[in-house]
Amino acid sequence: MRFLKIGADPEYAFGTLKDWIPRVVPANTAFGVPGFAGGFIGTDGHAETGELRPNPAHNVYLLLHNIGEALSVLHNFAEKKGLLLFTPPILHNLALGGHIHLSFDEAVSLGVLQTRLDWLLEPLEMWFPSSPLREQRNLAYPGRDVMRQQPANQVFHVEYRRPSTWLSHPDIAYTYLAMAKLIALNLKRRFPTNLPSVEVPVPAEEVVWLRLQHLLERGLVSADLRALPDKLRFLTENRKELINPNQPIYMSEWKKVVLPTKEDTRPQPQLTDSPPRRQATTTTEAAGANIRYATTEETNYTEENR
């Protein structure tokens, strides 16, 4: 069984901002037609919700590039309409998901795959997004419909619907997508049962660090996943700024994904959160060491499946 590609169809909301309060403009109203499907931008099955459909890729950075290109087109469209793009877990009555797609060269158990993805991504989802908004979203969404098998030719394609939308900032997107690929690469490996869980109780943030550290040190890791410790540290240090539900999408950061500069001088979000606990910092440092990177053959990475 080989992992082939990772894709996504993250959701967003159109809106305006008055006195720092977002007001939703339904996506079908913004596009001018119900059920608009314009290739890589359009509406969800729920026509008031916007959805991106970027091309999938084997490499997480290539997928981020595809998302950034789609967002650039969408942002230009929204600007002409005098609209902004928002991506909290829920905005008024719009629940916004960050669906992740995974493709394999043969069938895998949906139950096993969901258990493995939940093992790493559910603690991330419990920690990072705004808790009140995430809990409000999860009252009815995604419910029991966490995993879906999608029709595909000669490959096994699944959709993981647990996460809230991660479209606000490229480093948030990278963290969710890279963790999903890390699980896909290590699907046949044994996952430890002796690591802390959030029910112990251990803070969800620490559970994320400990479980990520285990996979990075003992699992199969492709080169495009090596930035995970740094990205997760960035999320830890800047969480309050990044989860602000009134903040429109960080389009300036996404544009740098599409057209990176020679020297990364991008401004970081204002540090308004307290410093991360020493536990998280220590784990981050440990997670960056002794990583075994996957070979081309192990990840089945070729120009054909990029």
Side-chain angles (χ1 to χ4, degrees):
M1 185 272 296
R2 288 183 183 272
F3 162 76
L4 297 178
K5 292 185 180 182
I6 183 168
D9 56 349
E11 297 169 344
Y12 59 87
F14 286 108
T16 59
L17 198 60
K18 184 176 181 180
D19 295 331
W20 288 104
I21 302 298
R23 301 177 186 275
V24 171
V25 175
N28 52 344
T29 301
F31 287 123
V33 293
F36 174 73
F40 50 78
I41 62 174
T43 60
D44 182 57
H46 182 248
E48 295 182 357
T49 305
E51 180 180 81
L52 286 187
R53 294 180 286 271
N55 289 330
H58 184 88
N59 188 289
V60 172
Y61 286 112
L62 181 56
L63 177 57
L64 286 177
H65 182 274
N66 295 343
I67 293 171
E69 284 191 326
L71 274 176
S72 294
V73 174
L74 180 64
H75 182 256
N76 290 340
F77 170 83
E79 272 195 328
K80 293 177 181 178
K81 295 275 188 175
L83 300 174
L84 299 169
L85 301 172
F86 295 95
T87 54
I90 190 168
L91 188 61
H92 300 294
N93 65 334
L94 293 184
L96 303 177
H99 306 159
I100 299 174
H101 300 190
L102 297 168
S103 297
F104 302 87
D105 65 349
E106 63 183 62
V108 299
S109 166
L110 290 181
V112 170
L113 183 56
Q114 179 184 332
T115 299
R116 297 289 194 261
L117 289 167
D118 282 348
W119 184 80
L120 187 57
L121 285 165
E122 193 169 18
L124 176 65
E125 181 71 7
M126 293 178 68
W127 160 62
F128 184 75
S130 168
S131 297
L133 296 180
R134 172 184 53 79
E135 292 168 2
Q136 186 180 351
R137 168 191 178 265
N138 290 346
L139 285 175
Y141 184 93
R144 297 182 179 181
D145 192 18
V146 177
M147 298 292 297
R148 286 183 180 177
Q149 182 178 347
Q150 302 289 337
N153 295 326
Q154 299 179 339
V155 297
F156 189 78
H157 185 80
V158 296
E159 180 183 52
Y160 180 60
R161 299 166 56 83
R162 173 85 65 196
S164 307
T165 187
W166 30 257
L167 202 53
S168 174
H169 191 287
D171 285 357
I172 305 174
Y174 174 91
T175 301
Y176 274 88
L177 296 170
M179 284 188 176
K181 180 178 177 179
L182 182 62
I183 292 295
L185 290 178
N186 292 278
L187 194 56
K188 287 191 173 182
R189 297 175 182 269
R190 288 191 175 186
F191 281 53
T193 58
N194 60 340
L195 291 179
S197 67
V198 289
E199 289 83 13
V200 170
V202 174
E205 175 190 354
E206 293 186 19
V207 173
V208 174
W209 285 111
L210 291 170
R211 293 182 178 184
L212 176 63
Q213 177 187 2
H214 174 87
L215 282 181
L216 291 180
E217 290 181 346
R218 304 184 187 185
L220 186 64
V221 183
S222 57
D224 57 328
L225 308 183
R226 70 176 65 185
L228 262 171
D230 288 338
K231 300 297 187 184
L232 194 53
R233 184 190 297 116
F234 175 79
L235 267 58
T236 301
E237 294 172 347
N238 299 284
R239 179 177 177 271
K240 272 190 178 179
E241 184 75 13
L242 292 170
I243 67 171
N244 180 0
N246 300 334
Q247 169 67 45
I249 194 169
Y250 286 88
M251 197 59 222
S252 61
E253 301 303 311
W254 277 107
K255 287 181 178 178
K256 293 171 186 176
V257 173
V258 179
L259 295 172
T261 57
K262 290 184 179 180
E263 182 179 358
D264 187 8
T265 58
R266 68 185 185 183
Q268 301 297 331
Q270 184 69 30
L271 299 183
T272 57
D273 206 351
S274 58
R277 289 185 295 273
R278 181 60 191 166
Q279 172 68 34
T281 305
T282 302
T283 308
T284 305
E285 294 166 354
N290 302 321
I291 299 175
R292 182 173 82 84
Y293 295 111
T295 65
T296 299
E297 181 180 359
E298 286 173 319
T299 59
N300 197 30
Y301 181 60
T302 66
E303 292 299 321
E304 293 180 356
N305 60 25
R306 285 188 68 182

